[in-house]
């Protein structure tokens, strides 16, 4: 089992921001992904993708 987390919240500041997450594990594996909060500040233009 793989446990993956982030150290702190992610902050998207003003203007264009891209936040891409790509996770992969072997066949029959277990992934526990525990991300912290994603905060989008006023004026940010956030594009987020997540591929597992």
């Amino acid at each position: 089992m793989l446990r993956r987390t982030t150290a702190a919240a992610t902050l998207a500041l003003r203007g264009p921001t891209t936040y891409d997450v790509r996770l992969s594990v072997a066949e029959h594996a277990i992934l526990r992904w525990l991300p912290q909060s994603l905060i989008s500040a006023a004026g940010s233009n956030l594009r987020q993708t997540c591929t597992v």
Side-chain angles (χ1 to χ4, degrees), residues 14-52:
R14 296 183 77 174
T17 304
T18 301
Y19 183 66
D20 296 317
V21 177
R22 292 180 184 94
L23 303 167
S24 61
V25 295
E27 188 174 345
H28 304 295
I30 297 171
L31 170 67
R32 292 186 187 221
W33 182 44
L34 308 168
Q36 298 296 321
S37 301
L38 173 59
I39 302 165
S40 183
S44 70
N45 180 8
L46 176 64
R47 179 186 156 272
Q48 180 182 13
T49 61
C50 179
T51 306
V52 179

